[in-house]
Each structure stands twice: as structure tokens, then as C-alpha cells.
Amino acid sequence: GLPCGAYMQPLQAVDLWKNHFTERGVMEPDHSSLYIMAYLLGAKTIESLEQEKLSEFLSPEKTEQMWKLCSRRLSRMPVQYVIEEWDFRDLTLKMRPPVFIPRPETEELVELMLNDLEMKPGTGIGADSQHTCLEVGCGSGAISLSLLKSLPQLKVTALDQSQDAVDLTRANALMLGLQDRLQIHCLDVMKETVLSLCRHVSTLVSNPPYLFSEDMTTLEPEIFLFEDHAALDGGKDGLKVIKQILTLAPQILSNHGRVYLEVDPRHPPLIQRWVEVNVEEMLCLFLFVRPRFCILRKEKSNKYHKLDLD
Amino acid sequence: MLRLSPFISCVYSLSSRVIWGVPHGAPLLLRPRPPGLMCVLAAGKKDLIDLPVLNEDELEEQFVRGSGPGGQATNKTSNCVVLKHIPSGTVVKCHQTRSVDINRKRAREIMRGKLDVFYKGELSEVLVNKKESELRKQEKRRKANGNLERKRLFRETLAANSKPGNDTV
């Protein structure tokens, strides 16, 4: 319960809640407590706060807020949903259950894409040709908005089968002032065509649901109880949505356009084999940088060329 | 021939391999150098052009995140980056932001500063800049005091000269 009349310093409150979380089996008891307190003190992390702020006593209002937010965490609600925000690269985004929370691994995928896109000028017809990008499964908009922020010439179309995700991406785009170069549509690529929305895009990106169905039941409560299962479950082999995206890719991409996927580390060799047989126009490229990224390029009529892979 | 060059650059940007070389005109340091380590003039932050560039092979990085599959299967929030420079044993911890990507970059910047001090001692640009900025502060204070003194004398002179019968300057 709320401490009556007790004035405490931030780290005392943090300690109290850390112990409480530990008793109740809540994961990351110390980090949870610290992030919530930092948020209440207007910072991202406790480590970024000045010592003076930490030695000030908490006001009754702040104490009450700490108690309210930490109680939510007790129910295993992820910290990101408790404080209703989280960071992805240099962006702070609103977070709202059940929309999928961006993972740190995906930051590296964006980094890779930016390196590629920055090096290659826009290709295509017209003097002012630009890169265009399609994101499948935008969630909170993390990937699309990161790309838009870093590449002022880029235009993005973002799709998600969840209306909640579409709404949240739109809210984040407005908050960041990036809405002018972003189109968002509620669409399920498994069931509907995307051809009417965009053609000849230079880049396709996705962090699609890639978990194996049988692994869904062993997920930690934070994920199982609060995040959209449709954003996680990739079917028996985790490849259901990935295969659909790769089937669509040649129709949407301009020649030499690329697909960037985050996948399960077991997937890349499976994807390569499948693509060789089923999607003639896509060529797998492996960087061996990270096992969970898969990058492919569209090569028109490549079945007549034996590429020299030396 | 498969065009891998854009991707090789990608690989390089994730694991930058740069060699250090001795800057021209800089006095040779007496401290023994670790094998295979030379210093180059590197384009770093605006004031610190001489900071060592990191060799990723000499770094060991740790996200304090615990074991597990990662990716969609987990939602761990601990993204403190611990970076260790193996040859010197220097360790940098960074948890300034909630982005692993940014913490990693910042940890590297902090490491560059620390290694500069470690290898160059007093000649380290970091320490030199610090000293220079303190000297500038002192100089400013002295000037300010000097000005105040001059103003005081001027006023006194004015007061003395403003007695009736005197010419004003």
C-alpha cells in the first residue's frame, strides 16, 4: 500500500519496489523499478540523472504515481506499456498494448538499411527519383519512422493487419512530424493484395511474426498476456508470413530492389533453399553479420544466369 | 561476380577496423606501446581530432541482458552496454539511454576518450583540452578584474578632473 506521510528519496522507493517485485517473481525487478522512477523524474535512465535530483525527496504526487505505475508492473505488464513509451534508436515512441514492442535487435537492422540506402542514390525514372520503402507489419512504427527520420528524401508505405497498430503508428508519426512522407494502411498480406498500394519500391522491410507456434506457450507472461499474438506467431515453422512476403516481393520491388527481414536465427538457410525453388526472381544475400537478418535482392530473370559466387 | 561491395561496407560500419598511426610532429611517447597499436589522425568530434580510433577486434561487448533466445521471444529491458578494451583492460559502462544502439555508440566514444588518456597520459587531447579550457577561464577572470580596475581608476580621474577650473578630457 501507499506509505502514509512517509517522505522518501527516489532510490528508496526504487529499492522498496525492487524487493516487492522480487518477492512476487516479477522479472527484472531492479530495471523495472529504475525505469519507472526515471520516467517519473523526466529522464530515460537513472544513470542519466544528476545526483541532485536523486537526493531530492519525492513529492506526495510523485510517490503516488510511483505506486500506481509499479502496481501495474506487478501484473506482469511490460515496463514499456506501464510508462506508455519506449525508445528505438534516437526516437521516443508511444507504446500501447497489445501493439508489439520494438526489440533492440531490430535497431541493428535499421542501421544496416541506412548504410545501404545512404550509399546508393535513389534509382528509377525521373530526375528527382527517390527511394521508396514498404514496411510489412509496422507495429508501433519503429522501423518506418526511424528510416524517415534519418532519410529526409525517403517515402514509406507501412502496413499492419491490426487496426491498433495502424492507429499507434499514425499517432507516433504525428508526434514526430513525419506523417507527410508516410502512408499507413490496415491490411493483411496473407489475405489481401498490396499491388494497388505501391509498385516499384526500392526496399521492402519487415520484422514479421517469426516464432514457431509451439514456442508461443513458453513465452514469458509479459509477452503472452499483453502483446498481440498475431505479431509473434509465424506458424509451424515460423515461416508463414515470411514466405508470403517473399512471394509478393518480386511484384512490388523494382529490379535490384532489396528485402530486409528480421527472422529466427534458424531461418536463413531454410529461406535460401525455399527461395531458390519457389521465388525465381529473388536472390539471397548473406552478410554473416547477424544470424537473425536475411537480406535478398530482386534479380529479374536470373534463372538464365549462373551467378559467379567467388 | 556477385557484387558484395555495398555489404562489405556494411560489415565495416558494424566492425570498423582502422589502424592508428603516429601524428606528425607529435613527440614520441615514452610509455611502451602495446604490440600492433599505432595512432592516426582521426576525424572525431570537433575539438578532439586526435582521439584513437577503435579496433573492434580488441573490444569485448556485453549487453547485460541475460541468457535466452532474444528477438521476439523476449522482452528484456536491460540494455546497459559494458565495453572492454582487451589490451589495456579499460572497461566502460553506458546506460545513458533506453536504446542499445545509442548506448553502444556512446560507450565507444567514452572508450576513445579513456584510451586517449591511458596511452598519452598528460599529452592526451582530453586532458589538454581540459587544461586549456581552465586557462581560458582564468584569463577571462583576469581580464574582467583588469577592466574593473581600469574603470575604477578612470572614474577617480574623472572625479579629480571635474573640479571647477579644469579642462575636461
Side-chain angles (χ1 to χ4, degrees):
Chain A
L2 208 73
C4 286
Y7 280 91
M8 57 180 76
Q9 292 173 316
L11 295 179
Q12 289 175 294
V14 164
D15 237 22
L16 241 152
W17 275 100
K18 183 185 96 176
N19 294 334
H20 204 176
F21 289 146
T22 310
E23 281 165 31
R24 297 275 291 267
V26 173
M27 286 167 50
E28 299 192 305
D30 44 355
H31 289 100
S32 300
S33 205
L34 287 164
Y35 278 127
I36 294 171
M37 179 54 75
Y39 168 76
L40 287 176
L41 297 177
K44 301 297 171 83
T45 63
I46 286 287
E47 289 86 337
S48 66
L49 273 169
E50 277 148 28
Q51 277 304 113
E52 301 95 64
K53 277 223 124 174
L54 289 172
S55 54
E56 288 168 13
F57 283 88
L58 291 171
S59 65
E61 295 80 31
K62 284 265 184 293
T63 310
E64 194 182 327
Q65 278 177 294
M66 180 68 175
W67 254 248
K68 181 171 149 217
L69 295 180
C70 287
S71 300
R72 277 196 215 155
R73 179 75 187 105
L74 270 181
S75 69
R76 306 303 293 266
M77 177 181 273
V79 169
Q80 300 95 330
Y81 290 153
V82 169
I83 62 176
E84 296 178 310
E85 65 174 46
W86 201 243
D87 294 346
F88 184 81
R89 291 174 54 88
D90 54 349
L91 302 179
T92 300
L93 301 167
K94 293 189 214 272
M95 294 287 132
R96 228 184 272 158
V99 182
F100 179 80
I101 297 166
R103 305 300 202 247
E105 288 84 356
T106 315
E107 290 182 327
E108 273 194 278
L109 184 65
V110 172
E111 178 91 3
L112 269 177
M113 291 181 72
L114 287 174
N115 286 328
D116 288 354
L117 288 169
E118 275 162 356
M119 277 188 330
K120 254 177 64 173
T123 51
I125 339 143
D128 276 314
S129 52
Q130 299 160 342
H131 281 296
T132 49
C133 179
L134 174 69
E135 183 182 2
V136 176
C138 53
S140 58
I143 297 176
S144 286
L145 295 170
S146 255
L147 294 171
L148 284 169
K149 174 99 189 280
S150 299
L151 299 172
Q153 300 304 309
L154 185 71
K155 292 211 163 97
V156 176
T157 302
L159 311 173
D160 205 291
Q161 50 84 37
S162 152
Q163 187 61 49
D164 289 328
V166 165
D167 293 344
L168 185 58
T169 296
R170 193 166 282 133
N172 279 323
L174 285 166
M175 179 178 70
L176 296 168
L178 297 168
Q179 71 280 7
D180 292 337
R181 289 179 285 131
L182 177 65
Q183 283 187 27
I184 317 168
H185 301 277
C186 188
L187 193 149
D188 185 347
V189 294
M190 301 303 298
K191 299 180 184 153
E192 306 162 64
T193 177
V194 305
L195 292 175
S196 51
L197 294 177
C198 52
R199 295 209 101 158
H200 306 298
V201 298
S202 55
T203 312
L204 205 170
V205 60
S206 186
N207 178 17
Y210 59 68
L211 297 183
F212 293 47
S213 294
E214 66 185 9
D215 293 334
M216 292 294 294
T217 50
T218 53
L219 289 173
E220 57 211 46
E222 278 77 6
I223 304 178
F224 191 84
L225 297 175
F226 292 93
E227 283 187 293
D228 186 1
H229 288 201
L232 298 158
D233 191 339
K236 187 156 190 282
D237 56 4
L239 288 170
K240 182 176 72 173
V241 181
I242 291 170
K243 284 178 177 171
Q244 180 69 353
I245 292 173
L246 293 174
T247 305
L248 294 173
Q251 303 157 34
I252 311 171
L253 286 170
S254 48
N255 199 17
H256 302 306
R258 288 187 198 159
V259 180
Y260 293 84
L261 297 172
E262 184 178 321
V263 300
D264 183 280
R266 291 164 282 184
H267 282 156
L270 303 173
I271 292 173
Q272 182 182 30
R273 250 175 279 150
W274 184 84
V275 161
E276 271 170 13
V277 175
N278 295 282
V279 196
E280 282 178 353
E281 289 185 299
M282 295 303 300
L283 175 71
C284 264
L285 298 162
F286 291 104
L287 294 186
F288 304 109
V289 175
R290 289 287 178 269
R292 60 172 68 253
F293 298 150
C294 196
I295 302 173
L296 305 97
R297 189 170 70 201
K298 175 174 171 180
E299 297 289 337
K300 241 189 187 152
S301 55
N302 73 339
K303 66 176 176 178
Y304 298 114
H305 302 288
K306 264 283 182 254
L307 287 168
D308 217 354
L309 294 163
D310 44 284
Chain B
M1 172 68 171
L2 189 66
R3 294 188 124 276
L4 283 175
S5 35
F7 296 96
I8 293 173
S9 315
C10 280
V11 173
Y12 276 2
S13 67
L14 287 179
S15 59
S16 35
R17 294 169 131 280
V18 190
I19 305 171
W20 298 3
V22 179
H24 272 308
L28 284 174
L29 300 170
L30 302 174
R31 205 191 280 251
R33 304 295 203 93
L37 208 71
M38 303 166 285
C39 298
V40 281
L41 286 165
K45 291 171 155 183
K46 50 169 183 164
D47 291 330
L48 304 164
I49 51 158
D50 236 349
L51 281 191
V53 179
L54 301 175
N55 181 346
E56 286 288 330
D57 287 345
E58 293 177 345
L59 296 176
E60 208 173 69
E61 193 180 272
Q62 223 182 307
F63 305 139
V64 186
R65 208 185 292 153
S67 56
Q72 290 172 1
T74 48
N75 180 26
K76 298 276 169 74
T77 58
S78 50
N79 54 23
C80 177
V81 171
V82 180
L83 196 61
K84 180 174 177 183
H85 181 247
I86 303 164
S88 68
T90 312
V91 177
V92 167
K93 244 187 175 176
C94 181
H95 197 202
Q96 291 174 8
T97 78
R98 299 186 299 211
S99 158
V100 171
D101 188 64
I102 297 185
N103 288 343
R104 295 179 75 220
K105 287 172 176 157
R106 289 206 187 167
R108 278 159 176 77
E109 287 305 311
I110 298 168
M111 179 65 83
R112 290 174 72 192
K114 285 203 165 177
L115 291 181
D116 197 61
V117 175
F118 182 85
Y119 285 121
K120 296 199 201 155
E122 279 194 8
L123 294 168
S124 150
E125 188 132 354
V126 176
L127 296 180
V128 165
N129 273 15
K130 237 181 170 177
K131 258 192 229 156
E132 277 178 0
S133 114
E134 278 185 31
L135 282 171
R136 260 177 272 144
K137 278 193 202 144
Q138 283 180 20
E139 186 61 32
K140 235 182 159 176
R141 255 178 267 135
R142 222 182 310 140
K143 274 197 176 143
N145 290 342
N147 282 343
L148 284 170
E149 186 63 27
R150 278 194 291 277
K151 278 182 184 161
R152 190 181 67 81
L153 284 172
F154 184 64
R155 263 180 266 128
E156 283 179 7
T157 314
L158 266 183
N161 288 349
S162 69
K163 291 207 180 106
N166 285 354
D167 285 16
T168 44
V169 182

